[in-house]
Amino acid sequence: LFERHPDIIKRLCMDAPALLPVLLDGLIWRSRITENGRRRVNYYIKHLVVDADGGFSPAIENIADNRDPKIVCHPIMSLVVDLVWDGV
């Protein structure tokens, strides 16, 4: 999706902000099997951190410009922002 539409976050912020939580929820995979009360989770965030050229992705900036606190507090965005700021 991100390779074909690298500006998908920007387009959704401008044209369909109600679909942003749906997209972000789709970037999380939760296992149906639990082990010791824990469940494996995979976050697919590569394209939210880096763009196709290996540079910094504009996704965080687009989300911030949208000014929706519900989206900013989404688990995917929290992980992306923490990952970026911990690496600084």
Side-chain angles (χ1 to χ4, degrees), residues 1-4 12 28 30 33 43-45 49 61 72 75 80 83-85 87:
L1 175 69
F2 287 95
E3 290 175 8
R4 184 97 166 129
L12 286 178
I28 302 173
R30 292 178 177 93
I33 301 169
Y43 294 94
Y44 297 96
I45 60 170
V49 178
E61 180 181 355
V72 173
V80 168
L83 182 70
V84 169
W85 282 104

Side-chain angles (χ1 to χ4, degrees), residues 64-79:
D65 289 345
N66 195 29
R67 305 183 114 196
D68 184 358
K70 188 174 180 181
I71 298 299
V72 173
C73 293
H74 192 278
I76 286 282
M77 292 312 300
S78 294
L79 179 63

Side-chain angles (χ1 to χ4, degrees), residues 25-44:
D25 286 341
L27 297 176
I28 302 173
W29 174 84
R30 292 178 177 93
S31 175
R32 60 181 172 81
I33 301 169
T34 60
E35 296 175 8
N36 299 327
R38 295 180 156 192
R39 182 178 301 201
R40 232 177 61 186
V41 178
N42 290 342
Y43 294 94
Y44 297 96

